[in-house]
Amino acid sequence: DSGVTQTPKHLITATGQRVTLRCSPRSGDLSVYWYQQSLDQGLQFLIQYYNGEERAKGNILERFSAQQFPDLHSELNLSSLELGDSALYFCASSERGGPDTQYFGPGTRLTVL
Amino acid sequence: SQQGEEDPQALSIQEGENATMNCSYKTSINNLQWYRQNSGRGLVHLILIRSNEREKHSGRLRVTLDTSKKSSSLLITASRAADTASYFCAYLIKAAGNKLTFGGGTRVLVKP
C-alpha cells in the first residue's frame, strides 16, 4: 500500500459525459501527479500540482482539467468524454516538487461506452 | 518521441532463474526509477537510481545506469512466481519539470 488513495476504483459512463476522479496523496506529500495509461499510448504524464499550484503540464487534453485543494487532495475532471478516453488514470504523490520518488495510487479504471 | 524504450517486451523464465530487462532513453535525466505493475493494478515503486550513481541494489533487485549509453538495466535474481508482472522504467528528464517519462514496459512471466 503506497498510501495514495484514489476514488472511485471503477467508473463506467457514456460519451459526452463528465466525470471527476479524486486522489488523496500520502500524508506529508505536497506534490500530486496525474497519469493516464491506455493500451495504445502507454503511461503518459498529464499534469502536476505542488502545494495547490500547477507545476507542470504534459499531454493533457483541453477537455481535461485538474486542481489541488488546500488539504492537498486533487481532482481530475474529464468532460465531453470520448471512447478513446477509456483508460486507467493514476495519481501519484511525492514529498516535494523535485526529482523525488513518486508513489502511485491504485488507479481509477474509466470505461466510456 | 521522448518515451523510453524497454526490451525485451516480454520475458518468460523458470522460477529460480534471473530476469534482465533494459531501458533506453534519449536525453539527460535527473534519475531513473523502476516500477512493477501487476495486471491492471497500481504501480509499485521498486528502486530509484540517480544520474550520478552507476549501480544500486535492493533485495533481489539490481539496477545499473550507464548515462553515456543512456541506458539502464534491471536484474531480478532467483525469480519467483510472484515476480510475474510488468516492469516499467521511468525517468525524470532534466529541464522538463518532474514529469516521469515511462518506457513501454517488459511483461515478465515466471513459471513455477
Side-chain angles (χ1 to χ4, degrees):
Chain A
D1 184 0
S2 67
V4 179
T5 60
Q6 288 186 249
T7 56
K9 279 188 177 177
H10 302 277
L11 202 45
I12 301 174
T13 188
T15 54
Q17 295 299 304
R18 172 190 167 95
V19 297
T20 298
L21 312 184
R22 183 189 167 102
C23 167
S24 292
R26 294 186 322 155
S27 177
D29 283 359
L30 297 178
S31 215
V32 169
Y33 311 77
W34 286 97
Y35 293 86
Q36 179 195 58
Q37 185 178 33
S38 61
L39 282 174
D40 54 345
Q41 297 289 326
L43 268 157
Q44 298 223 18
F45 168 79
L46 295 178
I47 197 163
Q48 176 200 1
Y49 279 82
Y50 174 74
N51 206 20
E53 301 285 329
E54 183 183 303
R55 175 64 70 92
K57 220 166 182 176
N59 301 321
I60 187 166
L61 300 172
E62 284 193 15
R63 300 183 285 108
F64 296 180
S65 64
Q67 53 184 325
Q68 185 179 29
F69 294 86
D71 67 352
L72 301 177
H73 91 270
S74 177
E75 291 181 357
L76 178 66
N77 300 296
L78 314 176
S79 61
S80 302
L81 286 167
E82 302 175 359
L83 296 177
D85 297 327
S86 295
L88 262 172
Y89 290 85
F90 289 107
C91 166
S93 73
S94 69
E95 192 175 347
R96 300 173 299 272
D100 324 320
T101 297
Q102 294 183 22
Y103 295 92
F104 282 71
T108 293
R109 183 174 292 280
L110 173 67
T111 302
V112 182
L113 301 175
Chain B
S1 163
Q2 289 184 326
Q3 190 166 20
E5 293 183 2
E6 289 187 58
D7 78 274
Q9 287 189 334
L11 186 57
S12 180
I13 56 176
Q14 292 294 137
E15 212 166 23
E17 293 180 341
N18 296 341
T20 300
M21 57 213 86
N22 305 294
C23 169
S24 63
Y25 55 92
K26 296 180 182 178
T27 186
S28 295
I29 61 172
N30 277 313
N31 64 51
L32 189 141
Q33 306 178 38
W34 285 90
Y35 289 84
R36 184 184 75 225
Q37 183 180 34
N38 290 82
S39 181
R41 294 192 180 178
L43 292 150
V44 175
H45 183 262
L46 297 176
I47 198 164
L48 179 154
I49 186 164
R50 302 190 190 284
S51 60
N52 60 354
E53 297 176 310
R54 292 296 166 258
E55 188 170 314
K56 209 161 180 182
H57 297 254
S58 176
R60 294 182 296 111
L61 305 179
R62 172 177 166 251
V63 168
T64 63
L65 179 64
D66 187 335
T67 52
S68 66
K69 294 181 179 177
K70 293 186 169 56
S71 68
S72 174
S73 68
L74 170 67
L75 167 69
I76 305 172
T77 60
S79 63
R80 305 167 182 168
D83 295 328
T84 294
S86 290
Y87 292 83
F88 293 89
C89 69
Y91 48 88
L92 286 172
I93 298 173
K94 284 185 180 179
N98 298 305
K99 59 176 186 176
L100 280 173
T101 300
F102 280 85
T106 295
R107 290 189 312 279
V108 175
L109 171 64
V110 181
K111 294 180 280 188

